Amino acid sequence: MSAPLEHDYIGLGLAEASSMEIASEKLSSTSSSSSTLSTEQNSSSNNNNNNSNNGNKALLDFKETELRLGLPGSKSPERKPTNNGVSVPLFGKDIENSSSKGYSLSPLKNIVSGAKRGFSDAIDGSSGNWGLSMNGKSEADLCKGAVLYSPRGGGLDEKNKIIKETSVLPQSPKAAQEKKKNQLPASNEPNSAPAAKAQVVGWPPIRSFRKNTMASNLAKNNDDDGAEGKSGSGCLYVKVSMDGAPYLRKLDLKTCSNYMELSSSLEKMFSCFTIGQCDSNGLPGRDGLSESRLKDLLHSSEYVLTYEDKDNDWMLVGDVPWGMFAGSCRRLRIMKGSEAIGLGMYHFFSFSLERFWRKTLLWSNKDK
Amino acid sequence: MQSMESTRSTRSLSFPDKVLHRVFTHLTSNEDRNSVSLVCKTWYNADRLSRSKVSIRNCYSVSPEILVRRFPNVRCVTLKGKPRFSDFNLVPPDWGADVHAWLVAFADKYPLLEELSLKRMVVSDESLEFLAFSFPDFKRLSLLSCDGFTTDGLEAIASYCKNLTEFDIQENGVEDTSGSWLSYFLESFTSLEVLNFANLSSEVDFDALERLVSRCKSLKVLKVNRSVSLEQLQKLLVLAPQLVELGTGSFSQEFSAHQFVDLESCFSSCKNIQSLSGLCDATARYLPAIYPACANLTFLNLSYSAMGSDELDELLMHCPCLQRLWVLDTVGDKGLEAVGSNCPLLEELRVFPSDPFDDDTIQGVTEAGFLAVSFGCPRLHYVLYFCQQMTNAAVATIVQNCPDFTHFRLCIMNPRQPDYLTNEPMDEAFGAVVKTCTKLQRLSVSGLLTDLAFEYIGKHAKNLEVLSIAFAGSSDRGMQCVMEGCPKIRKLEIRDCLFGDAALLSGLDKYESMRSLWMSSCNLTMDGCRLLAKKMPRLNVEVIQEDESDDSEADKVYVYRTVAGPRKDSPPSVFTL
């Protein structure tokens, strides 16, 4: 078993982290069956355990490009500085700022408290306890037991599997059987990398009619035209994912009335993730990460803001009037520029992105 | 002398009969009746001739012929069919539990049948028509979690059951072709007291509904579906202020202030409402309209209404008598704090997940909400709680606050999830439950559990009757502890656990005193099941084999006692060993 070299925020060692990379990344709408997923995950975790030595070597290469979490207060992992100073662990915090090996990441201003709660401070109160309060637990302890959230490495290689979370479809019994077989090893090794959450038939145990009613409730809410929504009716929640973030957030589109407010809401939401950018010396270019820095990063075409509309097409945010956007937006995704290329939007994104940011960020700079 | 003796003995035989019958009619509980029927042959006969209600909780445990032979004078029948896990798509749709054979037997022997309650049975339109034609006295129909019929079948009931008082079609897989079935009630039909079609999806003929409500003056229970708008509901309430149970349709509409006042006064004239449900899409704006009707409310079902914590708080302040509450987890821990503060008489709480398959985002309720309720509601004895995280300490505190739990169903939605603070298994949580709650009858466990949890259950849960286990246990010993330790266990449902043949066979002595055992995605083999079937001939050991890839493994096993022998209507995927 490979010794855990670093520990992710979610308590996975490095070796296990690689199997997590191989496991699901819940992003876009391509899907593979979850039985395949669990097969993949378990075979990969088996492979992982068998080939720990080889794995470590391969993993070290991964390390260069992967985005992982670090514990609040932990030092960032050693890395060779790359030419273009690609960002390192998206969420790694190095509050101490004392590392001389590798480089330390500049903490966000609004997070610094020196305490272990790191970025969780920045999480708005409504989401409450993420269930990961570390409270001085040893890293070894964190390895035990199941992991609550699978990390999502952004921009990783083709080994990533993408699954879609669908409402439960009755799986073929074969899949259920496979799943059963695959779950057995998992349950025998409580310390092994836990499964990424795959859909299991009939779980959680909710009757079909209730599931269907809830599904149609959600669909109904999302279909409401944002501009003419029922007055007084609750909210228009859309999921917002950011490539590299370990979990999604939900944003109530009704709280924004234009793109500017949307962008600032998003910044607030995701600014808890330190995005460091380093020059060739491996030192941070600047102290602290301000909002403008985040904007710069996003502006520099590292990230692209996209949304999925009613027809399940992914579009760039900013092309259409706000009302039309809010009415048709189903979910948002802050995508890495490289992924956007894959979606065939390359030709447009620099153009449209300019437009988007011009509308929002530069205006907000003006306001300041 | 001899003649006197024989007269006396004849008298002592015939005299008690009539008296016994009279006495036995006062025995309403079937458990009591089952007991008296065992006393002696006379009493057995008196019971069988006078029993008018039977409840068959596993339709394959007995056959229609056996039933009608023993109890010739039955008027009310309850039948339950499929194993409970069919609700969660674990049972193939053609598994069985068709009601038709029963109806045929009843038509022959129980022509005066009045009441039929079916749960998880397959009911076709033909069966409903047959029912409507065969029983002129038929009064009460209740279908729960059934499937196989469409609204065409409902038309038949409406047309031909002239004495119908209860029509309760809830939570079924109904193919809803049109809402016109309501118009099939005759204009002369006035006897309806209960009408529940809340889960049908299509638009109903509102005019027909309005006329029906207006002429059925004894209507006590009305639960409409979402297609009925707020304005339409108001019209119905004006016609039926005597309602005791109300299920609204869609509770949101563009109302002027004046209309709102009308709505409010409409609710205030409904002084008898004890149960309220529906409230789909209820918003903060219109909820206040129902406050006047909540003074006597004992049951509030908000599980179709995505309510927030503030709205719930406000609403609960108007429900001082609330005993049963069903909510969605959109109310959050804050909403549950409001429950703890406002509902001192609460006995039952069910918290359903609003978005159960969205585990990317943090949402819903946590242990904090449950704790808050337990502090404020000491009478709580029934809980169903879906959450994403829980701790052993919280559960221990909760049962200290509420030691009277009879039903404790905790679903930590991520399988095998440990205590999120200590990362330990949830064994101690359920240990605390069974040690403290001595009256516990029903338990559903979840989270990461080792055999220790089952040791606790076997050792302490002496009144446990129903146990549901998923993704738990570390060895056969877990199930063994339960089989050996829980004397009153009746129903055991297990999925995705490690238990194998040894565990299955450890219950050999128990299964005949149980209603049923379900084990799916465990470690059972066909050989183990065959051995069980061989040793216990009065059990039906059914294996559901949906594909032939691995013939030696038994993926889904359903074991139940029966006096009817192996069933003859199994589909090809089901083998009775």
Side-chain angles (χ1 to χ4, degrees):
Chain A
M1 189 163 73
S2 52
L5 298 173
E6 280 107 26
H7 287 272
D8 295 333
Y9 191 54
I10 354 188
L12 291 184
L14 193 62
E16 288 145 340
S18 75
S19 70
M20 293 316 299
E21 290 151 16
I22 294 167
S24 72
E25 177 176 358
K26 295 171 194 159
L27 288 173
S28 64
S29 53
T30 59
S31 62
S32 65
S33 77
S34 39
S35 64
T36 313
L37 169 73
S38 66
T39 315
E40 277 294 333
Q41 180 271 324
N42 278 292
S43 63
S44 70
S45 77
N46 286 335
N47 287 339
N48 188 41
N49 290 333
N50 293 335
N51 306 326
S52 50
N53 288 333
N54 296 338
N56 268 344
K57 212 170 177 200
L59 288 173
L60 287 171
D61 294 327
F62 269 133
K63 263 176 64 177
E64 307 313 307
T65 53
E66 77 183 27
L67 296 167
R68 288 174 302 119
L69 295 178
L71 280 172
S74 69
K75 299 195 173 61
S76 61
E78 295 194 39
R79 269 173 203 252
K80 303 195 242 350
T82 56
N83 287 339
N84 56 1
V86 166
S87 54
V88 285
L90 195 58
F91 326 107
K93 306 288 163 299
D94 193 351
I95 315 261
E96 285 90 345
N97 226 358
S98 60
S99 160
S100 55
K101 34 180 176 170
Y103 37 66
S104 55
L105 301 171
S106 9
L108 282 174
K109 274 190 200 155
N110 57 350
I111 284 173
V112 167
S113 55
K116 301 213 177 206
R117 279 180 59 75
F119 74 87
S120 53
D121 281 344
I123 298 167
D124 55 294
S126 61
S127 41
N129 186 354
W130 293 98
L132 295 170
S133 41
M134 293 299 133
N135 294 330
K137 283 281 172 195
S138 73
E139 293 174 339
D141 286 347
L142 291 170
C143 253
K144 287 192 215 150
V147 146
L148 299 180
Y149 303 101
S150 52
R152 271 139 255 224
L156 294 176
D157 69 10
E158 67 276 4
K159 279 191 191 174
N160 280 336
K161 291 287 177 209
I162 300 173
I163 66 163
K164 175 184 172 195
E165 283 236 289
T166 57
S167 55
V168 167
L169 306 167
Q171 289 185 345
S172 72
K174 184 161 188 201
Q177 248 184 335
E178 268 183 49
K179 192 173 310 307
K180 172 207 78 170
K181 290 184 205 149
N182 291 329
Q183 278 172 352
L184 293 179
S187 56
N188 280 330
E189 305 168 15
N191 291 338
S192 69
K197 280 173 277 191
Q199 291 281 4
V200 178
V201 176
W203 189 265
I206 302 165
R207 287 196 193 156
S208 326
F209 80 92
R210 191 175 279 284
K211 267 189 306 211
N212 296 338
T213 317
M214 285 297 104
S216 61
N217 258 355
L218 292 174
K220 210 172 171 211
N221 283 340
N222 288 337
D223 280 345
D224 283 347
D225 184 13
E228 299 167 14
K230 297 175 238 178
S231 54
S233 77
C235 348
L236 193 59
Y237 278 108
V238 295
K239 291 191 197 180
V240 188
S241 61
M242 179 165 178
D243 286 5
Y247 40 76
L248 312 185
R249 301 299 302 275
K250 268 189 181 161
L251 173 68
D252 183 359
L253 280 185
K254 292 245 175 90
T255 61
C256 313
S257 49
N258 54 43
Y259 284 115
M260 184 162 69
E261 290 181 18
L262 172 68
S263 115
S264 64
S265 298
L266 289 176
E267 282 156 27
K268 284 203 196 81
M269 215 178 247
F270 288 98
S271 62
C272 49
F273 307 133
T274 304
I275 302 167
Q277 199 161 15
C278 313
D279 60 23
S280 50
N281 290 336
L283 295 168
R286 228 190 271 180
D287 252 4
L289 187 78
S290 59
E291 279 189 13
S292 62
R293 180 139 184 88
L294 178 63
K295 287 175 208 165
D296 287 352
L297 194 64
L298 296 177
H299 190 227
S300 69
S301 76
E302 275 278 344
Y303 290 93
V304 172
L305 184 59
T306 62
Y307 73 101
E308 184 182 16
D309 71 1
K310 277 183 181 162
D311 303 319
N312 296 331
D313 295 325
W314 286 93
M315 322 271 278
L316 280 172
V317 171
D319 280 348
V320 300
W322 170 261
M324 201 183 295
F325 160 73
S328 60
C329 171
R330 288 285 195 97
R331 53 188 292 171
L332 286 163
R333 178 176 166 191
I334 305 175
M335 209 182 264
K336 284 210 81 171
S338 48
E339 298 259 342
I341 293 170
L343 285 170
M345 293 200 285
Y346 180 70
H347 298 290
F348 299 104
F349 86 78
S350 52
F351 172 63
S352 297
L353 198 57
E354 283 293 318
R355 236 190 321 149
F356 170 56
W357 293 117
R358 217 183 295 133
K359 272 186 207 167
T360 63
L361 302 175
L362 299 182
W363 283 354
S364 64
N365 276 336
K366 246 204 269 175
D367 287 348
K368 281 185 183 158
Chain B
M1 193 70 169
Q2 202 157 6
S3 63
M4 262 191 75
E5 272 182 13
S6 65
T7 326
R8 202 185 307 143
S9 58
T10 327
R11 217 180 286 140
S12 77
L13 276 177
S14 59
F15 169 72
D17 263 359
K18 289 188 184 121
V19 175
L20 277 177
H21 280 232
R22 282 299 285 273
V23 169
F24 283 7
T25 50
H26 294 283
L27 286 175
T28 46
S29 134
N30 274 353
E31 278 87 35
D32 291 339
R33 278 186 163 270
N34 290 342
S35 307
V36 302
S37 67
L38 295 173
V39 168
C40 64
K41 211 154 183 197
T42 315
W43 283 40
Y44 175 89
N45 275 323
D47 166 59
R48 63 176 274 267
L49 295 173
S50 64
R51 207 185 286 211
S52 61
K53 281 175 93 146
V54 286
S55 195
I56 297 167
R57 297 195 176 93
N58 175 1
C59 64
Y60 288 117
S61 63
V62 71
S63 71
E65 294 77 35
I66 296 175
L67 174 68
V68 303
R69 197 167 57 223
R70 178 171 172 188
F71 297 116
N73 297 315
V74 164
R75 303 281 174 98
C76 311
V77 178
T78 300
L79 273 172
K80 296 187 187 176
K82 301 187 194 180
R84 191 174 78 95
F85 279 4
S86 72
D87 285 347
F88 318 129
N89 299 325
L90 288 177
V91 175
D94 58 352
W95 180 83
D98 193 317
V99 78
H100 202 80
W102 294 89
L103 291 178
V104 168
F106 296 161
D108 186 25
K109 300 289 185 189
Y110 300 153
L112 299 175
L113 188 72
E114 287 178 5
E115 176 183 317
L116 190 61
S117 298
L118 303 178
K119 187 169 182 182
R120 292 193 199 99
M121 302 281 296
V122 172
V123 185
S124 65
D125 286 340
E126 287 73 34
S127 295
L128 288 175
E129 279 169 27
F130 184 79
L131 169 68
F133 279 118
S134 309
F135 306 106
D137 264 359
F138 194 74
K139 293 193 171 66
R140 297 180 289 274
L141 179 64
S142 166
L143 301 176
L144 176 57
S145 273
C146 297
D147 61 87
F149 62 103
T150 74
T151 42
D152 292 352
L154 302 183
E155 284 170 13
I157 302 284
S159 311
Y160 299 110
C161 296
K162 299 191 171 41
N163 294 311
L164 200 67
T165 60
E166 292 186 18
F167 199 21
D168 191 343
I169 318 293
Q170 48 169 326
E171 301 174 12
N172 297 295
V174 187
E175 199 191 308
D176 201 342
T177 53
S178 89
S180 62
W181 56 275
L182 268 171
S183 58
Y184 281 69
F185 285 105
L186 302 176
E187 288 299 320
S188 56
F189 172 75
T190 58
S191 50
L192 203 61
E193 295 171 24
V194 172
L195 179 61
N196 177 358
F197 60 95
N199 294 111
L200 293 183
S201 49
S202 66
E203 298 244 348
V204 290
D205 180 346
F206 182 72
D207 286 334
L209 177 61
E210 198 177 3
R211 287 197 306 274
L212 182 67
V213 170
S214 114
R215 65 182 185 267
C216 294
K217 302 291 180 206
S218 311
L219 196 67
K220 293 271 177 315
V221 175
L222 177 63
K223 297 184 184 174
V224 301
N225 73 355
R226 281 180 100 132
S227 73
V228 174
S229 72
L230 203 45
E231 203 173 341
Q232 290 172 329
L233 181 73
Q234 201 176 331
K235 290 188 196 161
L236 297 176
L237 288 178
V238 164
L239 293 169
Q242 75 281 4
L243 285 179
V244 173
E245 293 184 23
L246 172 65
T248 75
S250 161
F251 210 81
S252 124
Q253 194 166 343
E254 284 301 320
F255 263 21
S256 67
H258 177 59
Q259 281 171 308
F260 179 84
V261 168
D262 281 348
L263 181 68
E264 204 179 10
S265 71
C266 188
F267 272 103
S268 55
S269 58
C270 296
K271 302 211 181 300
N272 297 320
I273 291 188
Q274 293 175 10
S275 156
L276 192 56
S277 57
L279 297 169
C280 313
D281 319 317
T283 65
R285 210 168 133 189
Y286 298 115
L287 265 183
I290 66 170
Y291 295 167
C294 294
N296 296 318
L297 208 61
T298 56
F299 177 37
L300 183 56
N301 181 354
L302 300 171
S303 61
Y304 293 102
S305 172
M307 203 165 278
S309 56
D310 294 331
E311 292 151 342
L312 181 66
D313 193 1
E314 184 68 38
L315 173 55
L316 289 178
M317 283 196 247
H318 295 88
C319 308
C321 305
L322 204 62
Q323 292 172 9
R324 297 169 62 209
L325 177 63
W326 296 16
V327 290
L328 281 182
D329 65 2
T330 50
V331 303
D333 287 335
K334 198 154 164 257
L336 293 180
E337 279 167 32
V339 173
S341 320
N342 289 311
C343 306
L345 301 178
L346 197 71
E347 298 180 17
E348 175 180 328
L349 175 68
R350 301 195 195 197
V351 181
F352 294 96
S354 54
D355 205 353
F357 307 107
D358 172 16
D359 45 15
D360 300 329
T361 50
I362 297 301
Q363 59 175 346
V365 292
T366 70
E367 77 280 10
F370 199 171
L371 269 168
V373 174
S374 74
F375 278 113
C377 309
R379 296 195 196 185
L380 196 65
H381 69 83
Y382 190 121
V383 77
L384 169 61
Y385 200 81
F386 284 86
C387 57
Q388 285 188 355
Q389 63 188 46
M390 188 51 64
T391 67
N392 288 309
V395 175
T397 310
I398 287 162
V399 293
Q400 256 180 358
N401 295 337
C402 305
D404 296 329
F405 273 115
T406 55
H407 297 69
F408 193 92
R409 302 164 65 187
L410 176 62
C411 180
I412 303 168
M413 289 195 277
N414 194 13
R416 298 197 188 88
Q417 184 167 303
D419 176 324
Y420 80 95
L421 283 181
T422 65
N423 262 315
E424 284 167 12
M426 296 298 296
D427 296 336
E428 294 305 320
F430 293 104
V433 173
V434 293
K435 283 176 202 165
T436 318
C437 305
T438 51
K439 301 182 207 164
L440 196 70
Q441 292 168 20
R442 181 170 180 184
L443 180 64
S444 301
V445 299
S446 58
L448 182 67
L449 294 172
T450 69
D451 286 344
L452 181 57
F454 300 105
E455 278 176 35
Y456 286 141
I457 292 173
K459 193 167 167 204
H460 298 278
K462 295 305 176 187
N463 284 316
L464 192 65
E465 298 179 16
V466 180
L467 178 60
S468 307
I469 310 173
F471 304 103
S474 22
S475 76
D476 284 341
R477 179 162 159 62
M479 184 171 164
Q480 212 174 328
C481 289
V482 173
M483 297 314 303
E484 288 169 5
C486 298
K488 293 196 186 173
I489 193 87
R490 275 194 294 113
K491 256 175 78 169
L492 186 53
E493 338 173 285
I494 304 175
R495 62 166 293 177
D496 292 281
C497 297
L498 286 177
F499 309 135
D501 294 337
L504 177 70
L505 295 168
S506 70
L508 220 52
D509 298 329
K510 266 292 189 12
Y511 297 134
E512 274 189 4
S513 61
M514 284 170 59
R515 192 190 302 171
S516 65
L517 166 73
W518 169 276
M519 288 179 75
S520 62
S521 300
C522 297
N523 251 352
L524 300 178
T525 68
M526 291 295 281
D527 288 339
C529 297
R530 280 192 199 103
L531 187 56
L532 175 63
K534 189 169 159 201
K535 292 203 166 186
M536 306 295 294
R538 284 188 302 208
L539 298 178
N540 274 356
V541 178
E542 292 187 9
V543 176
I544 302 173
Q545 202 85 296
E546 280 164 309
D547 68 79
E548 282 88 34
S549 66
D550 200 336
D551 278 347
S552 64
E553 290 186 9
D555 186 45
K556 293 179 185 171
V557 178
Y558 186 48
V559 179
Y560 56 91
R561 64 180 174 188
T562 179
V563 294
R567 58 185 177 113
K568 301 180 182 66
D569 62 352
S570 330
S573 56
V574 176
F575 302 95
T576 309
L577 300 177

